[in-house]
Amino acid sequence: MENYLRFNCTIKVCTLIVSIIVAIFIFRLRTELCRADIESEKAAFLSLINQYRQQNGLQPLSLSSTLSTAAQLHSEDMANRNYFSHTTPEGKTFVDRIIEAGYTHFTCLGENIAAGFSTAQAVFEAWKNSPSHNENMLNPCFEEIGIGLAYSASSTYKWYWTTDFGGYDDSGSGGGGGGGGFTPNTNNPPNRPEKPSGPILGHVDEEYTFTTVSEDPDGDHVMYVFDWGDGSSSMTEYVPSGIPVGLTHSWSKPGTYSVKAMVRDENGAISPWSPIATIQIIIPKLNVVVTSNVNVRITVDGANYSIPMTFEWLKNTIHNVSVPQSIGFMEGGRYFFKHWSDGIKNNTRTIVVRSNVSLVAIYEIQYLFTYRTNPNNFTSNWYSNGTVLKLSVEPFIQIGYGERLAFKKWSNNATDLNISIIVNKPDFIEALWCKQFLIKLYSPYGIPYGGGWYDEGSTVKFWVDPRVIELENGTRRIFEAWVGEGQGSYSGCDLSPVIIVKNQINETALWRTEYFLTVDTDYGNPSGTGWYNISSTAEIFIESVVYESPVVRHVFQGWRGGFEEKSNNITLKVDAPIVLKAVWNTEYYLNVSSEYGEVWGGGWYLNNSYASFGVKPPSFHIIPYVFEVWEGDFYSRNLNATIVMDGPKKVVAKWRRDYTWVALISISIIITCTIVYYGRVRRAKARSKQILHTTPFSLK
């Protein structure tokens, strides 16, 4: 027996050890599979966000190990400690966590978090549809990303995502270069070029072209060099041999100049100089005509003239010419110098005479136009006649918090913010403004209406809708009052008050919280169901007995739900939605009746309970009553019986009269009487015989 117990104990220990090993193996296997799924989803998210950025013209994000550490640690922290926030319970922000992970670059940073999404596709779509999160995913400042994902079955949301963004990428790149060389060559010198061909007479500072040609014996490309005789020379590019070439030159001084040329091939060999060609350069007299489109006087070399005026000057001489900058012709109107006909925009200029020329001083009509687009300043400028002046104003000018100026119209009654004015006379225009104040409405529930900016002195009606907000959990908020701040504000219980705007006003809606108390019952008419203010007292009452019929009734047993109590009349404090369920027992009436005797056991019984009943036979009767059977909802021949009360029951005791002993007495009397009778007859016969013997007689 002892060996059997030891063997049985050994078997149980081995079974326990094997179970523990299997459980550890399954746990580690599930953990490894979960980690594999997490890494797969993180990789899928990196692909999704980079595709999304490229679709929007942005560079993809590289994966940062430090940012990934910060993101993963935060996801695991939220999952393990069951919270959801950018800030840890200790108060560390995402910037603190990123720096602690080792990402200490001075750059732009960002973070997205999400909870409850098990796949990369799901969290990507959620962030994409959120403006602030989508802005982070498409921020061009970011170059790197860290992705974190953690799972905890015991947490509220199970899955926790974190993406940390940074604007510094520490990856590197590089490049390379190349080279080249040449091959020298030699050749015979070119032939002597021909005498340069060109004009023999010219003017100072005018350009003239001379041409020549030469051939190279080896057919090399050649370059021509011209000596212009004034100490300067010019050369061409390398050109094919035997093709005439020409160069242009001008001489700045009068005189006779010798022009010659030589040739150099592409290997450095040169030819002799060509024969000399001569050109005589002289200084001509040129006509300069000065006019204007308006009647003005001109100053030339310090002397005043009326224009139009024609001047005869030697070529290349220099003269100073000036006309007035502006000439007034009316108040707010003037002729303003625009430019000379040759494009010079300065009204005072220096003319170098190089050719016959006609110069026109061109003036335009200008008008003085003044405008005011801001109440604090105005602008006056001269504008050319017909100028389309585009004026614009901002719709509002902020003065301070809750106070601003609002544009109403221009002084010419135009109401657009942007207008165009054709300047064709001196004029003035200004923007007209009015002061506005901000009516700021705040309500933690419902939607407030009527808030916004209003003109000073205007009448404003504001309200909140709906007045009652019922939630699904048996809670509702009811508007109670407004509390106002600022001159002219309203404080009171009116849902839609009217105020006159005199200053910036803050109005805060106050709400009270009510909870619904539900009294649920299958029977009776309870009181107390309804809405109650938070922390108020509710009185609940229900009948203790409810008769469904004379033979069926329901007896109150107590309350279940938010409050457990056996009394049918209770008082409780309402601090939350409450559902009270009345608990009842159903009872059925057992009607026990009998025409004779004394019955017992009748009355009320619980549903499906057992009821015992019976009848006590009646007292002595001459003709006794004998119990025969129970009839009605139960049949039995026993005086005392038990019945299941699964409904109202009625039983009736049936009796019969017992005539047995009466019959026996009757028979006994009859027999007795018969015996007496026959006895008397017999005695009578005996006496008769005696008489006959003593008194003889005869009969015939």
Side-chain angles (χ1 to χ4, degrees), residues 14 37 53 90 107 110 151 157 168 184 186-187 201 205 221 259 279 305 335 355 377 420 444 463 498 557 624 639 657:
C14 292
D37 289 341
R53 285 176 66 89
E90 294 78 21
T107 181
Y151 175 81
Y157 299 105
Y168 177 80
T186 60
N187 207 352
L201 181 65
D205 293 332
H221 283 62
V259 179
I279 182 173
Y305 302 91
Y335 297 114
S355 63
N377 57 65
S420 297
W463 68 98
V498 177
Q557 299 297 308
L639 276 174
R657 304 296 292 269

Short mmCIF file of all heavy atoms in Angstrom, two decimals, residues 14 37 53 90 107 110 151 157 168 184 186-187 201 205 221 259 279 305 335 355 377 420 444 463 498 557 624 639 657:
data_model
loop_
_atom_site.label_atom_id
_atom_site.label_comp_id
_atom_site.label_asym_id
_atom_site.label_seq_id
_atom_site.Cartn_x
_atom_site.Cartn_y
_atom_site.Cartn_z
N CYS A 14 5.23 14.38 -11.89
CA CYS A 14 5.71 14.38 -13.30
C CYS A 14 4.68 15.05 -14.21
O CYS A 14 5.03 15.82 -15.11
CB CYS A 14 5.98 12.94 -13.74
SG CYS A 14 7.39 12.17 -12.92
N ASP A 37 4.52 39.48 -35.80
CA ASP A 37 3.42 40.27 -36.37
C ASP A 37 3.67 41.76 -36.19
O ASP A 37 3.40 42.56 -37.08
CB ASP A 37 2.11 39.87 -35.70
CG ASP A 37 1.67 38.48 -36.11
OD1 ASP A 37 2.17 37.99 -37.15
OD2 ASP A 37 0.84 37.90 -35.39
N ARG A 53 3.93 59.93 -49.01
CA ARG A 53 4.75 61.15 -49.15
C ARG A 53 5.19 61.33 -50.60
O ARG A 53 5.17 62.45 -51.12
CB ARG A 53 5.96 61.07 -48.22
CG ARG A 53 5.64 61.30 -46.75
CD ARG A 53 6.85 61.11 -45.86
NE ARG A 53 7.87 62.12 -46.12
CZ ARG A 53 7.94 63.29 -45.52
NH1 ARG A 53 7.02 63.62 -44.61
NH2 ARG A 53 8.91 64.15 -45.78
N GLU A 90 4.55 60.56 -15.56
CA GLU A 90 5.52 61.35 -14.81
C GLU A 90 5.70 62.75 -15.39
O GLU A 90 6.45 63.55 -14.83
CB GLU A 90 6.89 60.65 -14.81
CG GLU A 90 6.92 59.33 -14.07
CD GLU A 90 6.31 58.20 -14.88
OE1 GLU A 90 6.24 58.32 -16.13
OE2 GLU A 90 5.87 57.20 -14.29
N THR A 107 16.58 70.21 -34.38
CA THR A 107 15.80 70.18 -35.62
C THR A 107 14.32 70.09 -35.25
O THR A 107 13.95 70.04 -34.08
CB THR A 107 16.22 68.99 -36.48
OG1 THR A 107 15.47 69.00 -37.69
CG2 THR A 107 15.97 67.67 -35.76
N GLY A 110 8.33 65.74 -34.19
CA GLY A 110 6.88 65.54 -34.15
C GLY A 110 6.57 64.13 -33.70
O GLY A 110 7.44 63.24 -33.70
N TYR A 151 1.61 45.50 -27.75
CA TYR A 151 0.33 44.85 -27.50
C TYR A 151 0.27 44.39 -26.05
O TYR A 151 1.25 43.85 -25.52
CB TYR A 151 0.16 43.65 -28.42
CG TYR A 151 -1.09 42.83 -28.14
CD1 TYR A 151 -2.33 43.25 -28.63
CD2 TYR A 151 -1.03 41.69 -27.36
CE1 TYR A 151 -3.48 42.52 -28.36
CE2 TYR A 151 -2.17 40.96 -27.08
CZ TYR A 151 -3.40 41.38 -27.58
OH TYR A 151 -4.53 40.68 -27.31
N TYR A 157 -7.02 49.33 -24.75
CA TYR A 157 -7.09 49.35 -26.21
C TYR A 157 -6.29 48.24 -26.88
O TYR A 157 -6.29 48.13 -28.10
CB TYR A 157 -6.58 50.70 -26.74
CG TYR A 157 -7.39 51.88 -26.27
CD1 TYR A 157 -6.90 52.72 -25.28
CD2 TYR A 157 -8.65 52.12 -26.77
CE1 TYR A 157 -7.65 53.80 -24.83
CE2 TYR A 157 -9.41 53.20 -26.33
CZ TYR A 157 -8.90 54.03 -25.35
OH TYR A 157 -9.63 55.09 -24.91
N TYR A 168 16.49 65.56 -39.05
CA TYR A 168 17.92 65.43 -39.30
C TYR A 168 18.21 63.99 -39.73
O TYR A 168 17.84 63.04 -39.08
CB TYR A 168 18.74 65.76 -38.06
CG TYR A 168 20.23 65.56 -38.24
CD1 TYR A 168 21.00 66.52 -38.89
CD2 TYR A 168 20.85 64.40 -37.77
CE1 TYR A 168 22.36 66.33 -39.06
CE2 TYR A 168 22.20 64.21 -37.94
CZ TYR A 168 22.97 65.17 -38.59
OH TYR A 168 24.30 64.98 -38.77
N PRO A 184 50.42 67.04 -80.14
CA PRO A 184 50.98 68.17 -80.90
C PRO A 184 51.11 67.84 -82.39
O PRO A 184 51.12 66.70 -82.81
CB PRO A 184 52.36 68.37 -80.24
CG PRO A 184 52.73 67.01 -79.71
CD PRO A 184 51.45 66.39 -79.30
N THR A 186 52.83 69.86 -86.27
CA THR A 186 53.64 70.91 -86.94
C THR A 186 53.29 70.97 -88.41
O THR A 186 52.75 70.01 -88.97
CB THR A 186 55.14 70.63 -86.78
OG1 THR A 186 55.43 69.36 -87.38
CG2 THR A 186 55.54 70.62 -85.30
N ASN A 187 53.60 72.17 -89.03
CA ASN A 187 53.24 72.34 -90.45
C ASN A 187 54.01 73.52 -91.06
O ASN A 187 54.64 74.31 -90.34
CB ASN A 187 51.74 72.59 -90.56
CG ASN A 187 51.21 72.12 -91.91
OD1 ASN A 187 51.98 71.75 -92.80
ND2 ASN A 187 49.91 72.15 -92.05
N LEU A 201 37.97 106.29 -96.83
CA LEU A 201 37.57 107.49 -96.11
C LEU A 201 36.52 107.10 -95.08
O LEU A 201 35.60 106.32 -95.38
CB LEU A 201 37.00 108.54 -97.05
CG LEU A 201 36.57 109.87 -96.41
CD1 LEU A 201 37.79 110.60 -95.84
CD2 LEU A 201 35.86 110.76 -97.45
N ASP A 205 34.98 107.28 -84.83
CA ASP A 205 34.11 106.43 -84.01
C ASP A 205 33.06 105.67 -84.80
O ASP A 205 32.12 105.11 -84.21
CB ASP A 205 33.42 107.24 -82.90
CG ASP A 205 34.42 107.75 -81.88
OD1 ASP A 205 35.46 107.09 -81.70
OD2 ASP A 205 34.17 108.79 -81.26
N HIS A 221 43.78 74.85 -90.68
CA HIS A 221 42.95 75.99 -90.32
C HIS A 221 43.87 77.13 -89.92
O HIS A 221 44.96 76.92 -89.35
CB HIS A 221 42.01 75.64 -89.16
CG HIS A 221 40.82 74.82 -89.59
ND1 HIS A 221 40.93 73.57 -90.14
CD2 HIS A 221 39.48 75.11 -89.55
CE1 HIS A 221 39.73 73.09 -90.42
NE2 HIS A 221 38.81 74.02 -90.07
N VAL A 259 46.41 99.81 -92.61
CA VAL A 259 45.79 98.56 -92.19
C VAL A 259 46.50 97.42 -92.90
O VAL A 259 46.66 97.45 -94.13
CB VAL A 259 44.29 98.53 -92.52
CG1 VAL A 259 43.68 97.20 -92.07
CG2 VAL A 259 43.57 99.69 -91.86
N ILE A 279 43.33 104.30 -94.82
CA ILE A 279 42.02 104.91 -94.65
C ILE A 279 42.20 106.23 -93.95
O ILE A 279 43.01 106.36 -93.03
CB ILE A 279 41.08 103.99 -93.84
CG1 ILE A 279 39.68 104.64 -93.72
CG2 ILE A 279 41.64 103.66 -92.47
CD1 ILE A 279 38.65 103.72 -93.10
N TYR A 305 16.99 127.78 -74.13
CA TYR A 305 16.44 127.87 -75.48
C TYR A 305 14.97 127.47 -75.43
O TYR A 305 14.52 126.70 -74.56
CB TYR A 305 17.16 126.93 -76.44
CG TYR A 305 18.65 127.19 -76.56
CD1 TYR A 305 19.56 126.52 -75.72
CD2 TYR A 305 19.16 128.09 -77.49
CE1 TYR A 305 20.92 126.75 -75.82
CE2 TYR A 305 20.54 128.32 -77.60
CZ TYR A 305 21.40 127.63 -76.75
OH TYR A 305 22.76 127.85 -76.85
N TYR A 335 2.55 118.26 -65.70
CA TYR A 335 3.24 117.50 -66.73
C TYR A 335 4.52 116.97 -66.11
O TYR A 335 5.30 117.74 -65.54
CB TYR A 335 3.58 118.37 -67.95
CG TYR A 335 2.36 118.94 -68.66
CD1 TYR A 335 2.13 120.32 -68.68
CD2 TYR A 335 1.46 118.11 -69.30
CE1 TYR A 335 1.03 120.85 -69.33
CE2 TYR A 335 0.35 118.64 -69.96
CZ TYR A 335 0.14 120.00 -69.96
OH TYR A 335 -0.94 120.52 -70.59
N SER A 355 25.99 110.86 -84.39
CA SER A 355 25.22 110.79 -85.64
C SER A 355 24.18 111.88 -85.62
O SER A 355 23.94 112.53 -84.58
CB SER A 355 24.57 109.42 -85.80
OG SER A 355 23.64 109.21 -84.75
N ASN A 377 -3.32 106.21 -41.06
CA ASN A 377 -2.43 106.88 -42.00
C ASN A 377 -3.10 106.99 -43.36
O ASN A 377 -4.10 106.32 -43.63
CB ASN A 377 -1.09 106.14 -42.12
CG ASN A 377 -1.27 104.69 -42.53
OD1 ASN A 377 -1.73 104.40 -43.62
ND2 ASN A 377 -0.92 103.78 -41.63
N SER A 420 -10.83 99.08 -58.09
CA SER A 420 -9.96 99.69 -59.10
C SER A 420 -10.46 101.10 -59.38
O SER A 420 -11.66 101.31 -59.66
CB SER A 420 -9.96 98.85 -60.39
OG SER A 420 -9.42 97.57 -60.15
N PRO A 444 -20.08 73.61 -22.41
CA PRO A 444 -19.52 72.26 -22.48
C PRO A 444 -20.44 71.27 -23.15
O PRO A 444 -20.01 70.20 -23.54
CB PRO A 444 -19.30 71.91 -21.00
CG PRO A 444 -20.28 72.75 -20.26
CD PRO A 444 -20.40 74.02 -21.05
N TRP A 463 -28.13 81.94 -27.74
CA TRP A 463 -28.78 80.83 -27.07
C TRP A 463 -27.94 79.57 -27.28
O TRP A 463 -26.96 79.57 -28.02
CB TRP A 463 -30.20 80.62 -27.60
CG TRP A 463 -30.27 80.15 -29.02
CD1 TRP A 463 -30.42 78.88 -29.47
CD2 TRP A 463 -30.18 80.98 -30.19
NE1 TRP A 463 -30.44 78.85 -30.84
CE2 TRP A 463 -30.30 80.13 -31.30
CE3 TRP A 463 -30.02 82.36 -30.41
CZ2 TRP A 463 -30.26 80.61 -32.61
CZ3 TRP A 463 -29.97 82.83 -31.71
CH2 TRP A 463 -30.10 81.96 -32.79
N VAL A 498 -31.00 88.80 -24.72
CA VAL A 498 -30.61 89.82 -25.70
C VAL A 498 -29.75 90.85 -24.98
O VAL A 498 -30.10 91.31 -23.89
CB VAL A 498 -31.85 90.49 -26.33
CG1 VAL A 498 -31.43 91.60 -27.29
CG2 VAL A 498 -32.71 89.45 -27.05
N GLN A 557 -41.03 41.25 -2.75
CA GLN A 557 -39.97 40.63 -1.97
C GLN A 557 -38.80 41.57 -1.70
O GLN A 557 -38.09 41.43 -0.72
CB GLN A 557 -39.44 39.39 -2.70
CG GLN A 557 -40.50 38.33 -2.90
CD GLN A 557 -41.00 37.79 -1.57
OE1 GLN A 557 -40.22 37.39 -0.72
NE2 GLN A 557 -42.33 37.81 -1.39
N PRO A 624 -74.58 8.51 9.95
CA PRO A 624 -73.26 9.16 9.82
C PRO A 624 -72.91 9.52 8.37
O PRO A 624 -73.40 8.90 7.43
CB PRO A 624 -72.31 8.10 10.39
CG PRO A 624 -73.02 6.79 10.22
CD PRO A 624 -74.48 7.08 10.36
N LEU A 639 -58.35 11.43 3.18
CA LEU A 639 -58.84 12.60 3.89
C LEU A 639 -57.80 13.73 3.86
O LEU A 639 -58.14 14.89 3.71
CB LEU A 639 -59.15 12.23 5.36
CG LEU A 639 -60.52 11.63 5.64
CD1 LEU A 639 -60.61 11.20 7.09
CD2 LEU A 639 -61.63 12.62 5.29
N ARG A 657 -74.02 9.22 2.96
CA ARG A 657 -74.64 8.81 4.23
C ARG A 657 -74.46 7.30 4.41
O ARG A 657 -74.67 6.49 3.49
CB ARG A 657 -76.13 9.14 4.26
CG ARG A 657 -76.44 10.60 4.02
CD ARG A 657 -75.87 11.49 5.12
NE ARG A 657 -76.51 11.30 6.39
CZ ARG A 657 -77.58 12.00 6.82
NH1 ARG A 657 -78.11 12.94 6.08
NH2 ARG A 657 -78.09 11.76 8.00
#
